[in-house]
Amino acid sequence: MRQNHSELDGAEISYRALDKSVAVLCMWYGHNYGAVMTSYALYKLLCDLGYYPSLVNHTGHSSIPCVYRDKNNSFRRFFEDKEICITKQLSCAEDFQELNNNFGIFLVGSDQLWRYRYTKRLGLFYYLDFVAPSKKRIAFGTSFGTNPCEAPQDFRDKASLLLSMFSGVSSRERDGVSVLEKQYHTKADFVLDPVFLCDKKHYEECALQSRRDAPKQGFILSYILDPKPEYQDIIHAVASSENAEIINLLDAYTFEQTRNIMYRIKPVENPTPDDWMFYMMNSKHVVTDSFHGLCFAIIFNKPFTVIANEKRGLSRFKSLLAEFGLEDYLMSGVDDFERVKQLPEVSWANVNERLSELKNQSITWLKHKLAEEPSSVNIPISHICKRIQSLESENTYMKAWLCVLYQSEYKKIVRRLKLRYFMYLLLHRVTWGTRKRKYEESAMCLRKQISEIRTKYKEYSLIADANPFLTMQETK
């Protein structure tokens, strides 16, 4: 049941089983081919695994550029044409409540969603601060883009608290796993970016939708996000060695500002995501400073020339190439071109063997996390109490969230204590002497402990009701 415009309301989603309905948070709306393709790949992967994903539409937030809300651009039409399910635009507290009512799983997708420089104006949205404690939370291949992490300590403290409620946390970079474990005190695993896990047939379907023609003598693809005039010599040298023409694609979001920088190579005007995939699949060689440009060159076994792009997150390139033993193929700049030219051709048989291994591990991880029960909070309830009491009165956000964690653990803790309490009462009745007194004392101690926990529950419930959720209410 999909609308032509791809946006679903609660009535249309409600027929699905909650444990199969997945709200996916990612940068699907961006005018960036990599962001679009990783969102598309994750969506298709979840569908192929038997789930019902929907991309969360938070483009109404004031930090999201107005251009991303235009429903008539080629990037939005891409999702519409593919009948991708997108939630209605979140614009008020009721919308967030409806989201919690309609989905059992909340999944933070891949891309640099945890890069503080890019997403700080969204606060803790990508750490799921609006999601009810009973819901399952998963981070799949989420990236910081850089190491060390850019976020300040106060932000990391809050994010770490939220991450303790996740059933599974993973990053697509080894550096990201290290950042999570050392700076966020969160156990994490390494997985591949979703673009590697999506069945290639979905990419072939995209390419078939393109109306572009390929040059008869073949072409190399130049996909440069941050062009420089000196890159032109490299691109022409590669084209000459391949006896091929040049197809030049630029970053769609900055196209007008960058189109004339590499003035000797005319860029393609208004390529759609389908066109981008068509050119990627049919090229003879890929020259790129894009992480996802590199990803798809590996996926399609295309010879590549990759230029390090520190501005966009250098650790992503290094981590990915290291997985396949290709670190030497990363160019530090134009002066590094001659060195890279002398390297032997990539052994695609070895790359594909390693890719298959990592792909199986990553999909297995995701299947397991999707299927298992929502995890308990990874902080003992006694520690939660201490942290609440130690916080200054002005730190209402952290205190409120800790109170929510206390609420989520309360019933499980009380249930366990009650079982022990009744066990001691029973033993007290069937024993004599010293043992009888010992069991009676243990039962009374537990009774007192349960009473204290209930008292704290009432107190903390008042704080939690002050609302730690819905930090995204500021919409325009």
Side-chain angles (χ1 to χ4, degrees), residues 33 36-38 40-41 78 82 195 198 200-210 219 221 249 271-283 292 296 299-300 302:
Y33 301 104
V36 166
M37 285 304 166
T38 194
Y40 173 74
F78 172 82
K82 305 294 184 291
V195 296
C198 179
K200 284 185 184 178
K201 69 180 182 183
H202 298 303
Y203 299 141
E204 292 165 358
E205 290 167 1
C206 292
L208 288 172
Q209 295 298 313
S210 173
F219 64 93
L221 175 62
L249 301 183
T272 67
D274 288 330
D275 296 336
W276 186 89
M277 186 58 68
F278 170 81
Y279 287 129
M280 185 63 71
M281 288 185 69
N282 290 286
S283 63
H292 282 109
F296 279 97
I299 289 169
F300 297 129
K302 302 293 182 182

Side-chain angles (χ1 to χ4, degrees), residues 294-306:
L294 173 60
C295 288
F296 279 97
I298 292 172
I299 289 169
F300 297 129
N301 290 181
K302 302 293 182 182
F304 60 82
T305 301
V306 59

Side-chain angles (χ1 to χ4, degrees), residues 242-297:
E242 296 283 356
N243 189 29
E245 295 186 27
I246 300 169
I247 294 294
N248 182 25
L249 301 183
L250 300 174
D251 182 29
Y253 186 64
T254 59
F255 182 82
E256 291 303 325
Q257 297 97 308
T258 60
R259 63 182 302 164
N260 295 319
I261 293 177
M262 296 196 302
Y263 51 88
R264 286 155 42 203
I265 309 173
K266 184 179 179 181
V268 176
E269 300 272 351
N270 302 316
T272 67
D274 288 330
D275 296 336
W276 186 89
M277 186 58 68
F278 170 81
Y279 287 129
M280 185 63 71
M281 288 185 69
N282 290 286
S283 63
K284 297 174 72 173
H285 190 115
V286 176
V287 181
T288 190
D289 67 345
S290 155
F291 172 75
H292 282 109
L294 173 60
C295 288
F296 279 97

Side-chain angles (χ1 to χ4, degrees), residues 5-21:
H5 194 54
S6 306
E7 295 188 354
L8 304 182
D9 58 28
E12 291 174 280
I13 296 174
S14 61
Y15 76 94
R16 303 170 176 174
L18 276 181
D19 63 348
K20 289 288 186 179
S21 296

Side-chain angles (χ1 to χ4, degrees), residues 4-7 28-31 36 57 59-60 66-84 86-87 89 273:
N4 290 334
H5 194 54
S6 306
E7 295 188 354
W28 61 271
Y29 50 81
H31 290 194
V36 166
N57 184 356
T59 56
C66 293
V67 67
Y68 292 158
R69 300 171 204 163
D70 178 11
K71 298 177 181 178
N72 295 315
N73 65 68
S74 64
F75 291 86
R76 289 295 287 266
R77 286 199 301 273
F78 172 82
F79 290 100
E80 180 180 337
D81 293 343
K82 305 294 184 291
E83 296 188 312
I84 303 297
I86 301 171
T87 69
Q89 183 173 292

